[in-house]
Amino acid sequence: MIVVGIETSCDETGVAVYDSNRGLLGEALFSQVAMHADYGGVVPELASRDHIQRLVPLLDQVLEQASLTKQDIDAVAYTNGPGLIGALMVGATFARSLSYTLNIPAIGVHHMEGHLLAPMLEEQPPAFPFVALLVSGGHTQLVDVNGIGQYELLGDSVDDAAGEAFDKAAKMMGLDYPGGPRIAKLAEDGTPGRYKFPRPMTDRPGLAFSFSGLKTYTLNTIQAAKQNSDLSQQTLADIAYAFQEAVVETLAIKCRRALQATQHKRLVIAGGVSANKMLRDRLTSIAAKESATLFYPRPAFCTDNGAMIAYAGCQRLLAGEQEVDPIQPKPRWPMEALTAVET
């Protein structure tokens, strides 16, 4: 089955072609980061308008990569939520129009299920069951995964997601959007140990996350440095290092607890923040201590992309699922509500 995947949940337009027999045949992505950087974050209306302009050229591009025509497509998958409602509507309308025109099935895919399954596109994918850390600008979740659609939420963020905290902390430091890569780059010159930031909610049992207090602690640290006339570039680098270290260590502590609670021997990390090198290194160490193996997607598939949507959609289509209802994007959509796929 040849499936086109379309991702338009936020500020990246992703299109890909996946073949259930041959794997990924082509993929392309347009990022709106430069456009939104002037505003310090995503402007929903601008994001929606830009998706409209990009979808047709990107579809033509990936079909050319795959040496296919539209008539070769067997089905289309698209992100149906969660995400920005306008952006979701653009992708859903385009995908369903394509399915109507070609008389092929379509299926709406859960954005976070796409991220969770992104490591399946690698040469050595994880087997079920596993613990998944989904960590991005909008989500920080630990999930017990026993199969496609078989998800138990172990822990969630009670306030800011980790990626959102990175963005807000970066803004405090005068760094551009998106904040995660900017802080990671600045932290390379930081001095380990100069600052010690708290590890939120690690002093109590449980797998919930909270990063709003860490954000406030960062602001107070910056303001104190200003008052002491010590907000040099080196001080900012030291603060960036301490902030990143605190987020990474918090995530690592919770991942270790999740591995111990489930007794699983595989840990998957996915989502934009999963590209962070310090996080990958720390979780590799944590997994080794628990006799487990860490899996993650290639950097290009950590951020939003069409390949993960094509793959996730293909698995559900092969199981006989498809949509017949009117277009109904879901800005909020709990992953536990998804149906299980029999394999």
Side-chain angles (χ1 to χ4, degrees):
M1 177 180 284
I2 296 175
V3 180
V4 165
I6 295 170
E7 158 60 25
T8 62
S9 65
C10 190
D11 61 342
E12 272 128 0
T13 313
V15 180
V17 180
Y18 180 83
D19 188 326
S20 57
N21 292 322
R22 294 179 289 167
L24 187 64
L25 303 182
E27 59 92 18
L29 181 76
F30 182 85
S31 175
Q32 302 174 4
V33 165
M35 178 175 68
H36 296 294
D38 291 340
Y39 304 94
V42 177
V43 181
E45 179 64 23
L46 294 180
S48 301
R49 292 179 182 180
D50 201 70
H51 288 311
I52 294 172
Q53 298 180 57
R54 307 295 173 185
L55 280 169
V56 170
L58 287 176
L59 176 59
D60 290 341
Q61 181 180 336
V62 298
L63 288 175
E64 184 177 354
Q65 283 179 21
S67 299
L68 300 172
T69 67
K70 291 184 179 69
Q71 285 64 41
D72 295 315
I73 303 170
D74 296 315
V76 57
Y78 63 94
T79 300
N80 201 43
L84 303 175
I85 183 61
L88 292 170
M89 279 296 299
V90 172
T93 304
F94 181 83
R96 294 292 286 272
S97 298
L98 189 63
S99 74
Y100 294 147
T101 303
L102 299 175
N103 193 28
I104 57 176
I107 189 164
V109 172
H110 193 290
H111 179 72
M112 296 313 293
E113 180 172 66
H115 275 301
L116 187 151
L117 297 176
M120 299 300 185
L121 293 163
E122 303 304 320
E123 289 186 4
Q124 295 183 324
F128 299 113
F130 56 77
V131 170
L133 171 66
L134 302 177
V135 57
S136 66
H139 298 83
T140 303
Q141 299 176 328
L142 278 166
V143 185
D144 185 354
V145 180
N146 286 285
I148 297 176
Q150 300 177 47
Y151 310 130
E152 179 186 352
L153 184 63
L154 300 173
D156 203 349
S157 179
V158 299
D159 43 54
D160 291 352
E164 184 180 3
F166 266 107
D167 288 339
K168 291 179 178 178
K171 191 171 184 179
M172 296 173 196
M173 299 178 202
L175 303 176
D176 291 336
Y177 172 86
R182 305 288 191 267
I183 286 182
K185 180 64 176 176
L186 181 59
E188 290 177 2
D189 297 322
T191 306
R194 179 180 175 187
Y195 293 102
K196 179 73 172 180
F197 282 20
R199 278 58 169 157
M201 296 184 72
T202 59
D203 59 347
R204 69 195 76 174
L207 297 171
F209 300 93
S210 172
F211 294 104
S212 63
L214 184 58
K215 180 182 62 180
T216 302
Y217 193 95
T218 302
L219 178 61
N220 291 338
T221 303
I222 292 172
Q223 290 177 337
K226 282 183 180 178
Q227 291 173 358
N228 294 329
S229 301
D230 186 32
L231 197 60
S232 63
Q233 188 66 19
Q234 183 59 55
T235 295
L236 282 174
D238 296 343
I239 292 173
Y241 185 95
F243 173 84
Q244 178 178 245
E245 183 183 46
V247 173
V248 165
E249 188 62 24
T250 298
L251 295 172
I253 290 170
K254 297 303 177 81
C255 282
R256 188 170 193 177
R257 288 181 185 176
L259 286 171
Q260 292 172 344
T262 61
Q263 294 296 299
H264 293 333
K265 296 304 177 183
R266 286 171 288 272
L267 172 64
V268 163
I269 55 170
V273 182
S274 69
N276 184 282
K277 186 178 184 302
M278 181 184 284
L279 178 61
R280 290 189 177 193
D281 290 346
R282 187 71 183 95
L283 290 183
T284 297
S285 175
I286 287 291
K289 291 176 181 177
E290 296 301 321
S291 300
T293 305
L294 179 67
F295 297 87
Y296 45 77
R298 71 196 75 170
F301 294 163
C302 290
T303 55
D304 296 348
N305 64 87
M308 67 184 192
I309 302 303
Y311 177 84
C314 184
Q315 306 314 304
R316 291 189 170 276
L317 287 159
L318 288 172
E321 294 186 25
Q322 70 178 73
E323 289 188 344
V324 294
D325 296 329
I327 298 172
Q328 294 180 321
K330 301 174 182 177
R332 296 184 182 276
W333 188 9
M335 201 162 60
E336 309 92 278
L338 295 176
T339 57
V341 171
E342 296 296 330
T343 56

